[in-house]
Amino acid sequence: MASGTGLINNEQMMSYNLLWDYPVCSIEIPERLSTSYEKLKYYGLVERCIPLSVREATEEEIMLVHSLDYIEAVKSTASMNIEELKTFSYNYNDVYFHPNSYLCAKMSLGATLQLVDAVMLSRVRNGMALVRPPGHHSQKSEACGFCVFNNVAIAANYAKKTYGTKRILIVDWDVHHGQGTQYTFEEDPSILYFSWHRYEHQQFWPNLKDSDYDVVGKGRGTGFNINIPWNKVGMGNADYLAAFLYVLLPMAYEFNPELILVSAGFDSAIGDPEGEMCATPECFAHLTQLLMPLANGKLCVVLEGGYNLRSLSESVCMTVRALLGDPVPPLVGQMVPCISAIETIQNVRAVHQQYWNFLKYHDSVFSKDSNTKKLNLGIEEGNPESNDASNAEEKKLTMISEVNQDFDEFMDSHMKKVLVLAPPARTALVGCGEKLTKLDQCLQVEEKKITLEEVGILISGGDCAHLKDENLLLSLGKIFPLIDKITKREVRNGVVVSPTLSSGAFAARYSTTVGASKVLLLLLGEADIPTDVKDDEKILVMQIYGKQDVKRQSNYYIPICWKEHNELDGDLLYALFGFILPLAYEHQPELVILTVGSNIGIQAVTLAHLTHLLQVLSEGRILVISQASDLVETLISSLLGDPTSAVRPFVLKQENALVLVKLRQELKQHWKLLQNSIN
Ligand code: FKS
Ligand code: ZN
């Protein structure tokens, strides 16, 4: 099993810079690399990574995307004087050449290919390459937007050719559209290309119609090109997250990539002069962690843009932390996507729904009457103030101007707030069998004998009717000490086997008594939940297999009553992206409790994905209570951060999908992150 995070950095790639006055190119400076690397050192991240060496790419490799004529032209710049370099550069759009450009472009590509080799040969699990020049704008015979050779596009073709990789996902989170990458693969169904970008209805560079949401690929590649054009500046954490949850992740899971390449530009982060967006550095840790369960963890992150050095370097560090498996800081603040983002996401889903099962079911089927439009977004005519999504927009604009006043001060205090320490131990066990293969990697926690009276006191006033059950008392004797350890930050997560599923509700109640301000309880299976837990706004309960006849009366107790009960793997993932994670992100729990019944029609591997993904919510604090002991091995492995294999085959059952569509409709007044359409 591959482990470790590779890191590529090489000073040689700093040996070119702009030699004349050319304002559009002045932001692409060598310090982008040194500042990022220094910050990684400062946080002690460099020494935790595996250093990978750089090499120059060969001509043959460059030709995986570019024409020989173009390569020759670039080669000729190595001996040009400034005047010649100028003339040459002006043949292209917003790019400059330096006598070292050709060498650096070969190193930048070589570094990317070294990372791909290391990941594909399992020398490391994942990694990041700090490179320049960037690549995603360059095309077959064209340099563009600071880019000379298209590192990521070539890397994709290289992986196909060298390793026979059949499906590659390219995630381009740079704030500019990687049109070069799009053009390279527009007819190729083996590459799923996703890009979000500042667009402003074509007013923003590179001002192409090709960047709009309706450009979905051509020929056999139709449906494999995903553009998310942002039509406003100021997009932030909630907007990016919504794009991941409602567009990228469902499509990526359906696509099932064998390798993921990230065109990682951090000009989409707050404070960047080009992007003018609002996402804070820890957002990139979330994006990274959300991608990590795919492709068996094979994730290569390659630097593209990023021009605010502070924002760039903090974001790079956040990305590397996530790659290393560190707990990701919670996304704080109101998780409400703005109207413009919702509109874009809705358009993207609409054009792609004919190609992807996971996008087939729309909320709009339930909102045909015209009144719903006002209802859903809380818009009252003449009073835009009452609209959360447009408020979100306003707030962002204020944020941009405030933040720009003293960016470093803002960042200092922000980073102080969000940086989290990982507990000394990762995964704890209480009273699980001795035969487990990973036993030595886990912390053993002593169980306690606990009496009915004690429980009554511990869960102060909670409903104790069930406590006559001897098994339940035994389980709580394991669960409570584990919750103590997690809330005291002595261990990050843990597993307990409990024959009775009712223990989940008691666990949640106990957590709030010992100090967790908010808890998410996700129950997979039948269990009674005491009314005091159902009614408690601190505890968000979602229950799959909730009793059919239960009428939901609360925004905090949500039974998902599915009609079909076998092979639920696809349905569960669908529910996770479209429903469970959005609600949970908005709830901002400090602890997640997942209770898994036996024989629930969900494969162990799917549960591994679930536990991995749920860890984005609560700095990795998750307690898994499993009814079946044979799941423990898989659960531990997932909690320890091992790579997960693909969930296959999975189907989404219409009946079950429609249950969620209906629930979303009912709940999106209260849970704003559920909004992904403006119908
Ligand atoms: C200055 C206009 C600059 C060119 C923008 C190029 C962006 C390059 C990038 C890359 F990742 F490639 F580096 N126009 N106001 O960030 O996408
Ligand atoms: Zn960019």
Side-chain angles (χ1 to χ4, degrees):
M1 184 173 50
S3 67
T5 295
L7 179 66
I8 303 196
N9 172 66
N10 188 291
E11 287 194 359
Q12 272 206 55
M13 283 181 277
M14 292 176 57
S15 67
Y16 77 96
N17 59 286
L18 181 58
L19 296 175
W20 66 94
D21 182 40
Y22 187 15
V24 292
C25 288
S26 61
I27 52 177
E28 207 292 292
I29 52 174
E31 289 74 16
R32 296 179 53 242
L33 291 189
S34 48
T35 316
S36 302
Y37 193 68
E38 286 305 316
K39 214 16 61 83
L40 285 167
K41 277 206 271 192
Y42 169 81
Y43 285 125
L45 294 166
V46 168
E47 60 208 42
R48 296 178 52 204
C49 293
I50 299 160
L52 299 175
S53 59
V54 183
R55 64 175 174 90
E56 284 174 46
T58 65
E59 221 159 84
E60 192 191 335
E61 287 162 348
I62 304 172
M63 282 176 64
L64 287 167
V65 165
H66 300 283
S67 67
L68 189 57
D69 287 352
Y70 174 62
I71 301 173
E72 293 298 335
V74 174
K75 198 187 286 177
S76 72
T77 61
S79 54
M80 286 181 179
N81 62 32
I82 294 199
E83 275 317 305
E84 291 165 333
L85 288 166
K86 259 192 207 178
T87 318
F88 184 82
S89 301
Y90 296 158
N91 288 328
Y92 306 110
N93 187 350
D94 290 6
V95 67
Y96 68 89
F97 280 83
H98 175 282
N100 287 341
S101 290
Y102 177 56
L103 174 68
C104 291
K106 283 192 294 183
M107 305 265 295
S108 184
L109 174 57
T112 307
L113 301 182
Q114 291 283 83
L115 178 58
V116 170
D117 280 333
V119 165
M120 292 309 293
L121 298 170
S122 297
R123 289 194 208 116
V124 296
R125 181 187 307 166
N126 56 31
M128 175 153 199
L130 293 176
V131 300
R132 62 188 282 272
H136 68 156
H137 300 301
S138 69
Q139 296 146 56
K140 186 167 186 207
S141 299
E142 212 170 305
C144 177
F146 317 153
C147 300
V148 179
F149 300 138
N150 196 322
N151 304 321
V152 165
I154 296 168
N157 275 340
Y158 174 83
K160 279 171 66 168
K161 191 178 140 219
T162 316
Y163 302 103
T165 313
K166 289 193 201 65
R167 289 173 311 279
I168 300 171
L169 167 65
I170 299 178
V171 179
D172 189 335
W173 71 46
D174 186 281
V175 86
H176 299 93
H177 183 214
Q179 84 279 34
T181 311
Q182 170 174 305
Y183 296 149
T184 308
F185 299 117
E186 57 195 350
E187 295 194 53
D188 188 344
S190 67
I191 312 286
L192 179 61
Y193 177 61
F194 169 95
S195 171
W196 62 38
H197 33 270
R198 178 171 171 186
Y199 189 57
E200 296 174 294
H201 304 283
Q202 219 185 313
Q203 294 307 301
F204 189 72
W205 191 92
N207 314 85
L208 303 169
K209 268 209 155 45
D210 292 340
S211 312
D212 215 345
Y213 64 84
D214 55 353
V215 179
V216 297
K218 290 182 183 156
R220 294 186 54 232
T222 308
F224 295 91
N225 190 81
I226 316 165
N227 282 333
I228 309 234
W230 299 127
N231 287 317
K232 292 239 162 99
V233 294
M235 296 299 167
N237 300 348
D239 307 296
Y240 287 0
L241 202 62
F244 260 51
L245 295 177
Y246 296 131
V247 179
L248 177 61
L249 293 172
M251 291 168 95
Y253 264 82
E254 198 170 331
F255 180 67
N256 188 26
E258 293 175 342
L259 171 67
I260 304 177
L261 305 173
V262 181
S263 266
F266 297 97
D267 41 13
S268 45
I270 192 159
D272 191 277
E274 271 289 299
E276 296 184 51
M277 299 299 179
C278 276
T280 46
E282 64 281 12
C283 189
F284 296 94
H286 282 252
L287 305 182
T288 306
Q289 202 185 324
L290 288 168
L291 294 172
M292 282 166 61
L294 289 156
N296 230 298
K298 292 189 171 20
L299 183 58
C300 301
V301 180
V302 182
L303 184 67
E304 299 276 2
Y307 308 100
N308 175 319
L309 296 183
R310 181 71 196 274
S311 193
L312 165 68
S313 55
E314 297 288 0
S315 304
V316 164
C317 291
M318 282 295 177
T319 306
V320 169
R321 281 194 189 94
L323 291 174
L324 284 164
D326 284 2
V328 308
L331 291 180
V332 290
Q334 236 198 345
M335 292 305 279
V336 185
C338 67
I339 293 185
S340 177
I342 297 172
E343 200 168 46
T344 296
I345 287 169
Q346 180 182 24
N347 287 335
V348 179
R349 287 174 57 100
V351 293
H352 276 284
Q353 63 167 326
Q354 54 181 311
Y355 312 112
W356 301 90
N357 281 324
F358 265 30
L359 301 186
K360 246 200 310 237
Y361 306 100
H362 267 281
D363 294 10
S364 45
V365 284
F366 282 93
S367 57
K368 290 231 171 69
D369 70 277
S370 55
N371 282 333
T372 5
K373 193 169 211 152
K374 288 188 217 157
L375 258 177
N376 290 344
L377 288 170
I379 298 170
E380 279 160 32
E381 256 148 80
N383 181 13
E385 292 296 292
S386 63
N387 171 352
D388 285 280
S390 75
N391 273 349
E393 228 147 278
E394 298 268 307
K395 253 189 229 139
K396 279 170 191 167
L397 294 176
T398 347
M399 190 163 166
I400 300 178
S401 65
E402 277 171 14
V403 154
N404 283 342
Q405 280 170 17
D406 195 332
F407 190 74
D408 271 317
E409 221 167 82
F410 162 81
M411 223 28 161
D412 286 343
S413 89
H414 180 78
M415 296 319 291
K416 246 185 231 136
K417 267 184 262 164
V418 301
L419 280 176
V420 296
L421 268 185
R426 176 131 185 173
T427 301
L429 297 173
V430 203
C432 291
E434 289 92 56
K435 295 193 300 288
L436 296 167
T437 37
K438 303 252 168 183
L439 202 62
D440 53 329
Q441 293 178 42
C442 300
L443 180 82
Q444 302 281 339
V445 175
E446 289 277 308
E447 55 193 286
K448 282 195 190 120
K449 225 182 141 39
I450 204 165
T451 65
L452 200 140
E453 291 72 34
E454 280 167 326
V455 176
I457 297 165
L458 288 171
I459 61 171
S460 55
D463 181 348
C464 294
H466 291 77
L467 287 172
K468 308 226 163 55
D469 182 347
E470 197 45 40
N471 278 332
L472 181 59
L473 272 182
L474 279 175
S475 300
L476 296 182
K478 297 178 191 170
I479 290 170
F480 289 1
L482 188 45
I483 292 177
D484 289 339
K485 294 256 180 233
I486 296 177
T487 45
K488 282 195 218 134
R489 313 252 197 286
E490 287 171 28
V491 65
R492 196 195 303 188
N493 56 38
V495 191
V496 174
V497 175
S498 161
T500 153
L501 287 189
S502 322
S503 50
F506 287 94
R509 165 56 67 235
Y510 179 69
S511 321
T512 60
T513 340
V514 295
S517 67
K518 280 176 181 175
V519 176
L520 167 68
L521 172 60
L522 179 58
L523 273 155
L524 310 179
E526 292 293 352
D528 287 326
I529 301 159
T531 348
D532 66 288
V533 171
K534 283 185 186 168
D535 289 344
D536 189 343
E537 298 198 353
K538 285 183 176 169
I539 306 172
L540 170 61
V541 188
M542 286 186 261
Q543 182 174 23
I544 285 175
Y545 280 114
K547 289 211 182 93
Q548 299 284 344
D549 54 358
V550 178
K551 238 209 143 355
R552 203 181 48 76
Q553 329 90 328
S554 147
N555 288 321
Y556 294 86
Y557 170 64
I558 303 158
I560 301 172
C561 309
W562 274 335
K563 306 269 177 359
E564 309 245 353
H565 290 225
N566 41 34
E567 284 185 42
L568 290 175
D569 306 280
D571 306 78
L572 184 69
L573 287 171
Y574 180 79
L576 190 62
F577 301 130
F579 192 77
I580 298 168
L581 282 175
L583 255 71
Y585 260 112
E586 201 172 330
H587 186 60
Q588 303 181 358
E590 276 172 26
L591 173 68
V592 175
I593 300 171
L594 171 67
T595 311
V596 186
S598 43
N599 304 321
I600 47 169
I602 297 169
Q603 299 174 45
V605 60
T606 311
L607 295 170
H609 281 256
L610 180 66
T611 45
H612 181 107
L613 291 165
L614 289 172
Q615 289 185 57
V616 295
L617 297 164
S618 47
E619 290 172 38
R621 284 189 287 269
I622 180 170
L623 166 66
V624 186
I625 303 172
S626 173
Q627 195 168 31
S629 52
D630 56 357
L631 281 176
V632 170
E633 195 87 52
T634 312
L635 291 169
I636 289 174
S637 160
S638 156
L639 291 177
L640 284 168
D642 293 346
T644 39
S645 42
V647 179
R648 279 298 113 166
F650 65 77
V651 273
L652 173 59
K653 292 181 273 307
Q654 173 168 330
E655 287 265 277
N656 289 350
L658 292 178
V659 168
L660 286 166
V661 170
K662 188 155 172 283
L663 269 178
R664 292 174 53 86
Q665 204 60 29
E666 286 169 24
L667 285 159
K668 70 185 187 188
Q669 278 288 18
H670 182 85
W671 297 99
K672 307 291 184 202
L673 195 52
L674 282 181
Q675 293 167 1
N676 67 4
S677 72
I678 53 173
N679 297 295

